[in-house]
Amino acid sequence: MSPHPRSAAVRPSPEDRLAEVFPQVRQYLAGLLDGYRPRYAHLRPALERLVDHGRRTPLECALPLLVHGAVEGTLEPAVPVAGAHTLWWRAANTFDDVSDGDAGTRLYGGDPAAVMTAALECGYALPLRALAALPVPGPLRERLTADFLDGWTAACDGQVGDILGSPTGTSPDEVLTVYRHKSGSVYAMAATMAARLALGADAADDPRAAAWGEFGQAVGILAQFRNDEDDLRSGHSEDLGNRTATYLLVQLLHSTAGTDRERAVELLGRAADCADDRRRLAAMMFRPEILAPYQRFLADIHQRAHALLDTLAPASPFTAPLHRLVDDEVRTTAYAVAPAGPRGAHCTLPPAPAPVVPPGRTEGRADQKV
């Protein structure tokens, strides 16, 4: 017998636990698609291609799994929610790639029209089928379905607002409303569903689920701002070329007057065809007086997300990765309030499968769509 006592078994870290569960999400999605055999012989292969090769989004699996873990202590029960969230993003990214003109003659290796039809099924009907099959009491299932539909409708509202919004005819507050809907609502949906599932049938209307939804919305808004900055820092400035009403651009146009505003509007008018004009316009957006309200808003959302976590799940081992996840959404921005983050070291989440880069996109942008 060894003279030294056997060391206690080392518990896997939360990140290791995530890495263990991610394959279960992929298996779950494969099982959902198997349910389309043999009745839907044309649709099933198109769905499989979309799920396997469609553009992925950061946190599509990690966020709902971590929220469930923070509330209840385990990850596995949230696999269906993570699956539904993943399916929603596959569809949303498909519509986004087509609207941005990235489809070409082939999309994710398939006919664009067939992929678009599959995306409608993937983002709407298939998640609803998954939720309808959950082995939970009826009232809880109904609340989860309502959470999903509320998120779907809010995101559609925000996306339409984004498409129709004009940089010169939209206020900063209106842009923030679009961001809360098109980006915040999707993460809010995932976090609310995961929390509600973890709280159980007896707490189907527990206010903590709504608080977790507020946390998810904060993460989504931060991710949208980060996405805007990624585009500017990439040097491509696709949003300027597309005349998208992003917050910094609208802030510039609404806080300047006279020749400065005329100059910005002139540059925006030529941005689609001239990279130099896009760079000049971006430099105007980075002026300190333009960045100040942006930085204040980022700080408020960043701090609110941390405060919610400290209140909702202060003792869970899965809360620390959620804190770091919040910091990750501002860490690489040019104007992060606390670059090191109040929670310590950088969190490295398990890698998702390599993203597919559609024609016309750079690799750095392929997984950024919020």
Side-chain angles (χ1 to χ4, degrees):
M1 182 175 180
S2 170
H4 303 290
R6 176 178 294 179
S7 60
V10 178
R11 292 184 178 182
S13 69
E15 290 79 16
D16 288 340
R17 290 286 295 117
L18 273 177
E20 294 172 357
V21 178
F22 278 179
Q24 296 182 35
V25 178
R26 291 192 287 270
Q27 293 169 6
Y28 176 78
L29 294 176
L32 290 177
L33 296 177
D34 278 344
Y36 280 62
R37 300 173 186 270
R39 186 176 180 183
Y40 304 113
H42 300 293
L43 180 58
R44 182 185 53 76
L47 283 170
E48 289 178 340
R49 179 180 298 109
L50 182 57
V51 171
D52 291 341
H53 302 292
R55 182 156 57 91
R56 291 160 172 76
T57 292
L59 311 185
E60 62 185 16
C61 289
L63 179 63
L65 294 173
L66 284 173
V67 169
H68 191 280
V71 176
E72 189 264 351
T74 62
L75 306 180
E76 288 80 1
V79 164
V81 174
H85 197 222
T86 297
L87 292 170
W88 190 95
W89 276 113
R90 289 293 186 281
N93 286 339
T94 300
F95 296 137
D96 180 63
D97 287 341
V98 171
S99 67
D100 284 350
D102 292 336
T105 58
R106 305 291 288 177
L107 181 61
Y108 311 143
D111 178 90
V115 175
M116 283 284 287
T117 303
L120 182 59
E121 180 76 12
C122 181
Y124 191 74
L126 188 52
L128 289 178
R129 291 179 185 276
L131 294 175
L134 282 177
V136 298
L140 177 56
R141 190 182 306 114
E142 291 173 4
R143 290 299 294 120
L144 292 169
T145 301
D147 292 334
F148 178 82
L149 291 174
D150 288 345
W152 174 279
T153 301
C156 288
D157 177 79
Q159 192 64 36
V160 171
D162 184 58
I163 292 169
L164 299 181
S166 164
T168 56
T170 304
S171 72
D173 284 344
E174 288 171 332
V175 175
L176 293 179
T177 297
V178 167
Y179 283 13
R180 288 187 184 98
H181 283 193
K182 81 163 190 170
S183 305
S185 66
V186 184
Y187 291 94
M189 171 252 286
T192 302
M193 292 171 64
R196 202 183 302 282
L197 186 64
L199 291 167
D202 294 337
D205 294 312
D206 194 308
R208 286 175 292 178
W212 277 107
E214 184 183 349
F215 167 77
Q217 183 183 72
V219 173
I221 293 172
L222 291 174
Q224 179 63 61
F225 278 120
R226 177 176 176 172
N227 189 55
D228 292 350
E229 281 199 33
D230 284 347
D231 180 46
L232 289 172
R233 287 199 315 276
S234 73
H236 299 292
S237 298
E238 293 176 4
D239 289 335
L240 294 180
N242 294 332
R243 295 177 57 86
T244 302
T246 60
Y247 183 84
L248 272 178
L249 176 59
V250 171
Q251 184 68 28
L252 169 67
L253 296 176
H254 280 73
S255 59
T256 55
T259 57
D260 272 357
R261 189 179 191 281
E262 292 175 2
R263 175 62 171 162
V265 172
E266 179 185 354
L267 291 171
L268 180 62
R270 299 197 300 260
D273 301 315
C274 182
D276 287 339
D277 285 335
R278 291 197 294 273
R279 284 192 288 271
R280 295 186 185 101
L281 184 56
M284 295 182 71
M285 294 160 63
F286 288 152
R287 291 175 179 174
E289 67 272 19
I290 306 302
L291 294 175
Y294 169 79
Q295 184 174 1
R296 287 195 297 270
F297 188 74
L298 263 183
D300 289 344
I301 297 295
H302 185 206
Q303 294 164 10
R304 177 59 178 162
H306 283 306
L308 283 165
L309 289 174
D310 288 336
T311 300
L312 291 168
S316 169
F318 293 104
T319 303
L322 286 168
H323 276 300
R324 293 191 291 267
L325 181 151
V326 173
D327 287 341
D328 284 351
E329 291 304 329
V330 299
R331 190 183 311 278
T332 59
T333 64
Y335 317 103
V337 176
R343 305 294 160 183
H346 184 85
C347 173
T348 303
L349 295 177
V356 174
V357 183
R361 285 188 181 267
T362 62
E363 185 173 355
R365 291 273 289 162
D367 62 352
Q368 294 292 328
K369 171 65 183 79
V370 213

